[in-house]
Amino acid sequence: LMESASAAFEAKGGKVLRKIAYTEGQPDYRADMQTVLQAKPDAIMSAGYGDDTRTMFKAARELGVDAPWYTAYPSIFTVENEGWMNGKLFGIDNGGLGSPVGQKIAKAYTDKYKGDARPHYFYGYDAMMLLAKAMQAGGPDAAAIKAALPAAAKGYDGATGTIEWDDRGQRVNPPMDLFEYKDGKLQLIH
């Protein structure tokens, strides 16, 4: 992610001040955040995971890093201090919340579990629905499921929209949603 995001940013005229590859699972990320602070960035771009991001955000806050933070998959981040991060964290995540089917699923989830549906839930929903359709068509055998999946996906319009795969089995143009952390939670911008 770091190399492709940097290249895309620079291609649009941006200047990357530092690239920092962090080691997961560290008890402290102060050294990494000191490097960020010294660079005096206008913005920070990162990708990380739950507990690591909490520790990173804490070190950044304590050191006085105050730049907006742009991320990949913010729904898996853990915000350490809601007030400090309010209006400062933005990110692109798995899509689905903006679609009519996604909104219906989100409401059903919220009504039943009293919590917000996370973006990756919609991909899980579609995966299970396509698996069920493939099993109905071909049976429970793994080879039969694999053979039936392309036909099961044709015309399927699920929580993440229409699903189309390339010849390598990779999804073509999956939807992505843009979020901002505001008022203690991620909120859909677009």
Side-chain angles (χ1 to χ4, degrees):
L1 283 175
M2 180 169 44
E3 293 307 322
S4 61
S6 296
F9 185 66
E10 289 175 335
K12 295 286 185 180
K15 182 178 180 186
V16 175
L17 302 176
R18 299 274 192 287
K19 294 180 187 177
I20 302 168
Y22 79 96
T23 303
E24 292 179 46
Q26 299 302 305
D28 185 18
Y29 290 101
R30 261 181 126 60
D32 292 332
M33 290 302 105
Q34 284 173 330
T35 301
V36 170
L37 184 62
Q38 290 168 354
K40 298 179 182 157
D42 292 330
I44 300 166
M45 292 179 13
S46 70
Y49 294 98
D51 287 337
D52 288 332
T53 55
R54 176 189 3 233
T55 307
M56 241 179 255
F57 291 156
K58 181 179 183 205
R61 180 180 53 79
E62 289 174 348
L63 289 167
V65 175
D66 200 33
W69 212 297
Y70 296 89
T71 68
Y73 308 109
S75 67
I76 60 173
F77 281 23
T78 303
V79 171
E80 175 266 340
N81 183 300
E82 292 178 3
W84 179 76
M85 191 53 78
N86 193 52
K88 193 179 297 180
L89 175 63
F90 303 87
I92 190 164
D93 214 314
N94 293 322
L97 287 174
S99 77
V101 175
Q103 289 173 357
K104 182 178 175 183
I105 292 167
K107 182 177 179 345
Y109 182 91
T110 300
D111 289 349
K112 184 170 183 172
Y113 298 107
K114 309 301 180 222
D116 291 333
R118 296 193 179 241
H120 52 273
Y121 294 1
F122 302 102
Y123 280 79
Y125 175 88
D126 284 347
M128 289 303 295
M129 295 302 288
L130 286 176
L131 176 62
K133 285 180 68 154
M135 288 176 75
Q136 287 173 337
D141 177 70
I145 292 169
K146 182 179 178 182
L149 271 172
K154 284 197 187 302
Y156 175 78
D157 188 27
T160 63
T162 303
I163 295 178
E164 181 184 345
W165 291 309
D166 65 18
D167 36 337
R168 297 177 305 143
Q170 296 295 310
R171 187 160 180 193
V172 177
N173 298 320
M176 300 300 279
D177 288 334
L178 181 61
F179 291 92
E180 175 183 3
Y181 188 83
K182 194 171 179 182
D183 300 327
K185 66 181 185 176
L186 285 174
Q187 296 188 21
L188 183 66
I189 295 173
H190 178 70

